[in-house]
Amino acid sequence: MAQATMQQKPQEKQSGAGNGRKAGNTDKVKKTLPVAPGVVIMVLLLVVSLFVGNMRALQNVTPASFLKTGNVSSIVEDRASAAQNAETVARRASLDESLYQAVDSAVKEFRSAKTARDLSRADQDLTAAVSEMTAEAKQGLDTENQRVLTRAIDSFTEQGSFLRQEGRAFNEKANKAIALYEKLPTAFLLPRPDRYEGLE
């Protein structure tokens, strides 16, 4: 019995020594765990939340697509049609084909524009093409055709005036969105709000 007891004691000591080593190792592992990944994750979460917050704030003040506001879509179609009517009459003057092609190309660009900025630029190109064609055509048309051309140009001009009025109303809202956009810390990650150009 005494021998058995003596044998058990050294085993218990050894077992105790082993537990001590394991506990010490666990403490070392805890001390050597890297802190960097946790910091990186926290920073990423902050950046993402900041980005989402900025994006929502900008969306709240950004106006709807210019083509979907007011009567813009119908104005665009009426102005394009007036330009084509003017071209039909101007062709009776037998001008250089390049003048008519310039109007056709400008009308196509004007109709396919998707943003306020693109539409304003396309409208400037269309205005220039129609003006050049009209100036040349008036010299080669008789009185009656000149009157018909004038009516087409008057309609074209009127629709252009309507379009610019819509552009001014749109820009009043867009300017507020742009002002906010320029203050946002994540602006470089967000699309700049659309704006109708050439009204100043």
Side-chain angles (χ1 to χ4, degrees), residues 118-149:
D118 290 346
L119 187 63
S120 64
R121 293 178 180 181
D123 186 57
Q124 291 174 42
D125 292 342
L126 179 59
T127 301
V130 170
S131 296
E132 186 177 1
M133 177 191 69
T134 303
E136 293 289 332
K138 282 185 176 178
Q139 299 173 12
L141 293 174
D142 59 31
T143 304
E144 182 57 32
N145 280 316
Q146 284 184 11
R147 287 189 190 128
V148 176
L149 180 61

Side-chain angles (χ1 to χ4, degrees), residues 91-103:
R91 281 187 174 276
R92 297 170 190 166
S94 300
L95 303 176
D96 190 291
E97 186 63 26
S98 63
L99 291 169
Y100 308 127
Q101 289 175 350
V103 172

Side-chain angles (χ1 to χ4, degrees), residues 66 71-87 103 106-108 110-111 119-131 133 151-165 196 199:
F66 181 58
N71 298 315
V72 173
S73 293
S74 61
I75 292 170
V76 167
E77 186 53 40
D78 290 345
R79 185 157 164 80
S81 295
Q84 290 178 318
N85 290 341
E87 181 189 340
V103 172
V107 166
K108 185 176 179 181
F110 183 65
R111 279 182 166 145
L119 187 63
S120 64
R121 293 178 180 181
D123 186 57
Q124 291 174 42
D125 292 342
L126 179 59
T127 301
V130 170
S131 296
M133 177 191 69
R151 285 197 294 272
I153 292 303
D154 286 346
S155 176
F156 176 76
T157 303
E158 183 181 39
Q159 296 304 321
S161 178
F162 292 155
L163 184 61
R164 287 188 293 277
Q165 286 176 18
Y196 194 96
L199 294 178

Side-chain angles (χ1 to χ4, degrees), residues 54 58 61-62 174-193:
N54 285 184
L58 188 61
V61 296
T62 299
N175 289 341
K176 293 177 183 177
I178 292 170
L180 174 62
Y181 172 84
E182 291 174 346
K183 295 176 183 176
L184 296 176
T186 61
F188 65 98
L189 296 172
L190 298 166
R192 186 179 180 84

